[in-house]
């Protein structure tokens, strides 16, 4: 089998150059460091998935900053929008990313749902944005599109990536908006065991859980992390913990095909953690 190494990054919340997000967070610099970090990964990954909230307020100038920073990325990348994105602005700044044109829905909106077919893992990007809402979901049109494309290739190991997770996080303020169509999505996923993973953003923290017979993950944020407050009354707040990315590795290990996931913290500078220190004289004390 051909292995595949997939980077996932999420939730940059980019502001125009020189503007702090929520008066506190510098957003361009963590993304620049993240791109540097990805460019130095060994082995070199195959592709980068970007799971929404690319910018903070949908401003055109922020997408121009995004384009300038991502121009340094040495890998192909694929984006889906989040609730902070403006799809028309995104399309305008990345005209060569034709998959962003998606398909027109009955209400006239364009949904950015697409498949990428030329890698060892089939990639399916889903648009979970509901215009004007913070929460997300999948309407019947997007769900039936997903069911149809999954039916076309039942033997292709598949990763689905999207912004909103179709489950609650345990962080009270994020759980007030229930993912629309989550039960219908679960029943579709349950019919298609080739789905190795559903991976999302939106929560700005690393999360994993079972979902409809597959594994679901949420990627940490690049721009900021959410405060880890697992109370129902948790209020909306972020914390400037280090940015991080997910590295999804599709490979064969110990004679078993698997898709496994590591989390990699983005350093402030290349030797922040002192480089690699070899272990020695390690034996089991038992
Ligand atoms: Fe976000």
């Amino acid at each position: 089998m051909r292995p595949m190494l997939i980077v996932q990054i999420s939730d940059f919340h980019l502001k125009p150059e020189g503007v702090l997000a929520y008066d506190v967070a510098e957003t361009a610099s963590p993304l620049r460091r993240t791109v540097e970090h990805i460019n130095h990964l060994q082995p070199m990954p195959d592709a980068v998935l970007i799971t929404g909230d690319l910018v903070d307020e949908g401003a055109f100038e922020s997408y121009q900053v995004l384009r300038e920073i991502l121009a340094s990325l040495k890998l192909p990348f694929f984006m889906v929008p989040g609730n902070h994105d403006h799809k028309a602005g995104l399309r305008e700044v990345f005209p060569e990313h034709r998959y962003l044109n998606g398909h027109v829905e009955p209400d006239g909106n364009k949904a950015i749902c697409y498949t990428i077919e030329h890698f060892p893992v089939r990639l399916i990007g889903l648009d979970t944005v509901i215009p004007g809402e913070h929460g997300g979901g999948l309407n019947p049109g997007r769900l039936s599109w997903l069911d149809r494309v999954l039916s076309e290739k039942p033997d292709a190991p598949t990763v689905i990536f999207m912004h909103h997770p179709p489950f609650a996080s345990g962080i009270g303020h994020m759980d007030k908006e229930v993912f629309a169509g989550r039960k219908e999505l679960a029943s579709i996923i349950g019919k298609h065991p080739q789905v190795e993973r559903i991976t999302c953003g939106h929560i700005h923290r690393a999360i994993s859980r079972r979902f409809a017979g597959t594994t679901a993950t949420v990627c940490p944020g690049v721009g900021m992390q959410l405060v880890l407050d697992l109370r129902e009354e948790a209020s909306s707040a972020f914390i400037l913990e280090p940015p991080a990315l997910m590295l999804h590795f599709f490979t064969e290990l110990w004679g078993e095909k698997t898709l496994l996931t590591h989390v990699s913290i983005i350093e402030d500078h290349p030797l922040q953690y002192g480089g690699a220190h070899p272990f020695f004289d390690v034996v089991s004390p038992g």
Side-chain angles (χ1 to χ4, degrees):
M1 66 171 285
R2 264 203 308 148
M4 182 172 180
L5 200 48
I6 307 164
V7 174
Q8 183 185 358
I9 49 179
S10 201
D11 293 270
F12 313 151
H13 287 256
L14 269 178
K15 289 288 200 183
E17 203 75 63
V19 178
L20 298 177
Y22 309 97
D23 296 333
V24 178
E26 214 286 290
T27 52
S29 138
L31 182 57
R32 285 186 210 285
R33 285 185 276 120
T34 299
V35 167
E36 246 336 79
H37 187 95
I38 295 169
N39 286 341
H40 286 89
L41 285 171
Q42 292 290 343
M44 198 66 167
D46 297 281
V48 180
L49 307 181
I50 305 180
T51 43
D53 284 359
L54 312 167
V55 306
D56 192 57
E57 289 174 298
F60 186 75
E61 308 81 64
S62 304
Y63 286 114
Q64 289 173 313
V65 176
L66 177 68
R67 183 175 179 95
E68 179 258 309
I69 296 175
L70 292 181
S72 305
L73 190 57
K74 293 177 181 165
L75 295 170
F77 61 92
F78 304 99
M79 302 175 278
V80 288
N83 48 291
H84 285 257
D85 286 305
H86 186 255
K87 291 186 216 175
L90 181 60
R91 288 189 190 102
E92 191 173 342
V93 174
F94 291 94
E96 73 279 23
H97 285 243
R98 296 205 180 147
Y99 61 84
L100 292 172
N101 288 316
H103 63 268
V104 181
E105 302 192 289
D107 59 5
N109 281 308
K110 276 188 182 175
I112 301 177
C113 298
Y114 58 94
T115 68
I116 302 293
E117 307 283 356
H118 56 281
F119 291 109
V121 173
R122 191 181 193 213
L123 306 171
I124 300 182
L126 288 182
D127 181 346
T128 56
V129 174
I130 302 172
E133 293 195 22
H134 181 269
L138 290 168
N139 62 23
R142 295 178 202 184
L143 288 163
S144 62
W145 177 88
L146 176 65
D147 196 20
R148 180 170 57 77
V149 298
L150 285 172
S151 301
E152 287 167 1
K153 296 200 174 174
D155 300 321
T158 299
V159 167
I160 295 173
F161 61 107
M162 57 198 204
H163 182 65
H164 297 85
F167 48 82
S169 65
I171 299 174
H173 63 96
M174 294 302 279
D175 292 347
K176 292 199 170 96
E177 293 146 335
V178 176
F179 186 98
R182 71 195 191 288
K183 288 184 182 155
E184 294 82 355
L185 174 64
S187 87
I188 291 169
I189 299 301
K191 289 194 299 176
H192 299 286
Q194 80 269 28
V195 177
E196 292 280 345
R197 178 68 55 88
I198 298 176
T199 195
C200 311
H202 192 54
I203 311 294
H204 297 229
R205 298 210 71 87
I207 303 173
S208 57
R209 60 157 274 176
R210 189 202 316 231
F211 182 83
T214 190
T215 304
T217 41
V218 177
C219 186
V222 167
M224 68 282 287
Q225 315 304 327
L226 289 198
V227 173
L228 181 54
D229 183 347
L230 296 175
R231 294 173 301 165
E232 202 179 328
E233 67 270 27
S235 59
S236 176
F238 67 86
I239 185 167
L240 294 178
E241 291 173 4
L245 57 78
M246 277 185 158
L247 201 52
H248 307 292
F249 192 18
F250 179 67
T251 187
E252 186 166 338
L253 297 168
W254 292 1
E256 203 181 5
K257 277 186 202 166
T258 185
L259 181 82
L260 54 84
T261 295
H262 288 263
V263 172
S264 185
I265 305 288
I266 314 300
E267 56 279 80
D268 286 337
H269 55 83
L271 285 176
Q272 181 175 9
Y273 303 120
H277 304 282
F279 286 109
F280 54 88
D281 295 342
V282 179
V283 292
S284 165

